[in-house]
Amino acid sequence: MNKVMIFDQGNPVCMQLLGKARSLFGEEAEYVMVSVRRHHNVALETMENAIREEKPELVLIGATALGEEVAPALGVRLGTGVAAHCVDINISDEGNLAFMVPAFGGKVIGEIFVPAAGDDRPAIATVKPGTFEDYEGECRVIDVDEQIEKGLLSPGEKKQGAFRMAGIEPRKHTAGRLAKAQLVFCGGFGIGSPENWQKIERLAEKFGGAAGCTRPVVDMGWGPDEDSMIGTSGISVKPKVYVGFGISGAAHHVCGIRDADVIISINNDRNAEVFAASDYAGVFDAEAVIDALLGEEEK
Amino acid sequence: MRIIVLVKPVPDPEKYNELRIDPETKRLVREGVQTVINPTDKNALEAALVLRDGRIAAGEDSSVTVLSMAPEFSRDKLVECLAMGADDAYMLSDVAFGGADTYATSYVLAEGVKKIAAEKGENFDLILAGNESADGATAHVPVQLAEWLGITHISRVCSLEAEGETLRAVKRSEDVLLTFEGEGQAVFAVTRDINKPRFISAMGIVKARKKPLSIWTNEELGLDESAIGLEGSPTQPGRLITPELGRAGRPLLADEDATAEDAAKAIRALLGKEGF
Amino acid sequence: MNFNFTEEQEMLKAAFAEFAKEEIAPNAAKWDEENHTPLDLMPKMGEMGILGVFVPEQYGGVGLGHTERVMALEEIARYSAGLAMMVFTHQLGMAAILDYGTEEQKMKYLPGMCAGTAICGLAVTEPGGGSDVAGQKTEAQLVDGQWVVNGRKCFITNSHCGTATVITCRTGEDEKGRSTFSCIILEAGTDGYGPGREENKLGLRGSMTGELIMNNARVPEENLVGEVGMGTPIAMKEIGEVGRASMAAIATGILRGCLEDAVKFSKERIVYGKPISRLQAIQFHIAEIRCDYEAARLMTYRAAAVKDEGKPAAAEFSMAKYFATEAACSASKRLIEIMGGYGVVNEYAAGRYHRDALGCISSGGTSEIQKIIVAGDTLKKY
């Protein structure tokens, strides 16, 4: 490996990527970070130019809303392959890079190889924030934002087409908090009602944790949106303790909690698949246990 | 307004726990797992139908075309889309397309879009797709299709409205909602909370009988075989593994007659041990 | 001989099943407990094409057949037999209008009924009995171009929610002095016509059952369905085919509920360290329920297919109705046995299935009536 480029979009994931890359390639490789904290058309143009100029062999991009828009687009523009949402990156016995990507909700992990195809056709990989350890270190930075501010570069807008940004609205979101939480209370379809989702949120508040849910709770419209959804298509959590209520154990959810230290599951279905992926299995009515936990606290 | 909706038939996501890897062939065994329309694609179709009906109510001409690259056995999934309300459907089906990664898939779809436009003698205005498929979940294809076509793409669209000629799409990113406004060709990849897809009605199923469904092989598309399928894919698949997710699953309480109160106490004890 | 549904029928089944799972399943227990009739679902079922699935398109229907109608009822009854009662009775009245009504009547009533904005019914039974058709006392006299109707009907489904109901009335007698009857449409809101008491039923709750009272109710002469004196054959034909097909389908839906719940419960319930599904005693119950379900299903769909071919199917529907409803009674009892104490707890559906199955016996003719019909047909044919 001679050069690794990392997209710094203003999310801590870029440092995690740098750390992972350093652990794989050591000091033999050169690392360069392209810092551009702008929306996707500018970011895309900038990254494309930077890759063509710097000719890295590998480009790592955080799989955020922005990264997911930039990475696959770069793939087509540069005529190269993109490995999505890698859970790990390995160097195979033959010395090739093997990107480990989840499929079927994480039930299956597939190896993906992106054979180098030429100078400006690097392998591109995206990685969800939190997949790799936080890292502190430095590397060369191409600060595009600064260049734009100094007027050295004009933000490329050529593919923005007829759609312009008409507004930015901050949102109340729990995604970041959930991903970092040391304690997670999670509700599944078995909680049965919007009221019980609120109780899960109250539990999180009382015990100092974060509240998460599974896909059906979002789909049923019981309150939370996809930011609170734990799983491969939502947030991956790695708390010290995870307590799940009324969760069946679908692959895409279980894969999102695999890094929890302790998993406690409450479900009245003795055969719930989640029990096989839990440290502690409690065959109880979810609502009754939630109430008991809240009750004790409120006393 | 001419709208194209991308649709992918996928193994039923509710049944992913039943998937396993054959120890001999190392291939995925999906026996008994039905094929369904990728759930988020149904949201895209719903959004398209609402836009179309709005245009028609305003006295304009509008239509929704469904496009899918899929094996021919999943033809009935496209009929389902017609039954839901789409006007016509195109299926790109050829063994030569098989084994494609998102790069080669989006290329074939882009060529399909161009051929549909040529065939109909008019260009599309908007392409909608589910943000990601349940199986691969890369979220690449809508973006890459737009790149092949050289048009705007906006993904994670959680709200889409039309006001006259102007479309307003809201993209949900980690900490902000970004609103985009404009006119002209674009690919929007929608999330599942954008709407609730309608039920398929008996009337819809009967009407679907008469709606055109075309199946195109590579003979019709005429694409260079080195640019499609496995050969045209810049990524190459290796081994498949099933991650070990199993844990001890020991009972929270040994006592079979324990109550919910006892369970709550046990959980509090475990939380206490970890410092909560 | 082909026992498979067509691709289109499979798609319909999946569509009905999805609707039932989302709109009916979550509420069925509540409707039963509160005896609530979910009238707001009627327009939704209209939109789904369930109500008018067998009605030609020119009257607002879908233009399919009774096989598809039966399919929809099975899917509804899988979760709520009570709701299926309301739907089928609505269709029963619609069928009488469709088969015997004038073009004007069809155009006037069927589109709204297909859409679920109007609710239909067919009223025959009187306090004196249901299957004793000749003993009906409700009377209609033609006076100055209007039918003047007097009498009382009881155990009428949709009694309190019907907007237009086909009612059999005595309108004369034949040369031998026997009463003859005619079918007349009475619309809600007509002076002198309205519902009486509403029954509190053992099963099939969530459908309204009660009296209809006619006290000098006057309706236009053109509300006559079919010809004067044809009331009995019309009612017998519709009850015999559409009605019994529906009861067979509803019982088949209950049977499927029993089967699915039996499998789920026996796999989840651990006794002596293993799921009870491993015990042969439980397996025997499950095998019996499965056989009952499969047999009921075959008989019901075969009868519907015979009707869709345009052939007489009264005996086939009687056999299916008799077998399926009795099988639903025994299967739901087996389910309660499998579930032990849980079987009698109302949090579980087993008890409701059993009450609904018992409720199915008397609708559309008891088992004894069916056997008489089957015997009559058999003695003729063999």
Side-chain angles (χ1 to χ4, degrees), chain A residues 190 245-246 265-270 275 281-290, chain B residues 251-264 266-267:
Chain A
F245 298 97
S265 292
I266 303 296
N267 194 314
N268 62 356
D269 174 359
R270 204 169 275 276
F275 287 148
V283 184
F284 295 98
D285 179 59
E287 186 178 353
V289 178
I290 295 170
Chain B
L252 183 62
L253 294 157
D255 183 1
E256 277 273 325
D257 298 323
T259 64
E261 287 286 344
D262 301 330
I267 292 171

Side-chain angles (χ1 to χ4, degrees), chain B residues 12-183:
Chain B
D12 187 350
E14 305 282 317
K15 300 285 163 60
Y16 286 174
N17 280 354
E18 293 169 25
L19 297 173
R20 40 186 197 87
I21 294 171
D22 185 309
E24 296 289 312
T25 64
K26 308 287 181 204
R27 289 207 179 155
L28 197 69
V29 183
R30 45 173 292 187
E31 205 176 304
V33 179
Q34 276 189 328
T35 299
V36 300
I37 302 170
N38 179 49
T40 321
D41 298 348
K42 278 191 157 186
N43 297 91
L45 179 52
E46 175 66 32
L49 296 175
V50 169
L51 279 178
R52 177 198 65 186
D53 294 345
R55 290 295 163 121
I56 290 175
E60 279 177 53
D61 193 17
S62 182
S63 65
V64 173
T65 297
V66 168
L67 171 63
S68 184
M69 184 183 104
E72 215 176 318
F73 70 77
S74 44
R75 181 185 171 281
D76 61 327
K77 296 297 124 194
L78 291 204
V79 178
E80 256 181 68
C81 295
L82 295 174
M84 221 174 121
D87 297 287
D88 56 356
Y90 292 85
M91 218 176 149
L92 312 177
S93 223
D94 198 310
V95 282
F97 302 149
D101 66 2
T102 60
Y103 181 94
T105 300
S106 57
Y107 171 68
V108 171
L109 286 168
E111 292 300 316
V113 167
K114 288 180 194 164
K115 190 170 163 62
I116 291 171
E119 196 93 344
K120 292 182 180 239
E122 58 182 342
N123 219 333
F124 62 91
D125 300 290
L126 182 63
I127 298 178
L128 296 180
N131 195 65
E132 71 279 307
S133 64
D135 52 356
T138 62
H140 285 177
V141 170
V143 171
Q144 295 192 318
L145 172 76
E147 288 292 329
W148 287 114
L149 296 171
I151 60 175
T152 304
H153 49 86
I154 300 175
S155 48
R156 296 201 195 180
V157 170
C158 61
S159 161
L160 182 60
E161 286 169 2
E163 209 178 275
E165 288 298 304
T166 305
L167 285 175
R168 187 178 301 117
V170 179
K171 170 176 177 162
R172 194 180 55 210
S173 81
E174 283 73 14
D175 42 17
V176 288
L177 293 172
L178 302 159
T179 304
F180 293 89
E181 272 180 8
E183 294 155 17

Side-chain angles (χ1 to χ4, degrees), chain A residues 26 42 90 123 191 202 234 245 257 279-280:
Chain A
V42 180
N90 301 322
I191 64 169
R202 288 216 313 268
F245 298 97
I257 61 171
D279 298 294
Y280 296 97

Side-chain angles (χ1 to χ4, degrees), chain C residues 50-95:
Chain C
I50 288 173
L51 304 177
V53 67
F54 64 105
V55 175
E57 288 175 62
Q58 70 257 40
Y59 306 122
V62 183
L64 295 169
H66 285 272
T67 307
E68 291 80 7
R69 194 182 67 82
V70 158
M71 190 182 266
L73 285 174
E74 182 192 335
E75 295 305 324
I76 295 171
R78 159 64 186 88
Y79 297 105
S80 173
L83 178 62
M85 278 302 285
M86 170 160 81
V87 171
F88 112 73
T89 310
H90 175 64
Q91 293 173 327
L92 184 64
M94 288 164 75

Side-chain angles (χ1 to χ4, degrees), chain A residues 13 57 67 78 89 98 102 115 155 163 186 192 214 232 258 285 289 294:
Chain A
V13 64
E57 274 181 64
L78 301 165
I89 302 171
F163 285 81
C186 185
T214 62
T232 46
R258 58 195 289 192
D285 179 59
V289 178
L294 278 174

Side-chain angles (χ1 to χ4, degrees), chain C residues 10-33:
Chain C
E10 289 288 358
M11 204 176 287
L12 276 165
K13 191 173 158 64
F16 295 150
E18 192 184 350
F19 177 82
K21 216 169 173 178
E22 287 198 24
E23 297 283 328
I24 299 171
N27 304 310
K30 197 178 73 190
W31 296 336
D32 174 71
E33 192 178 330

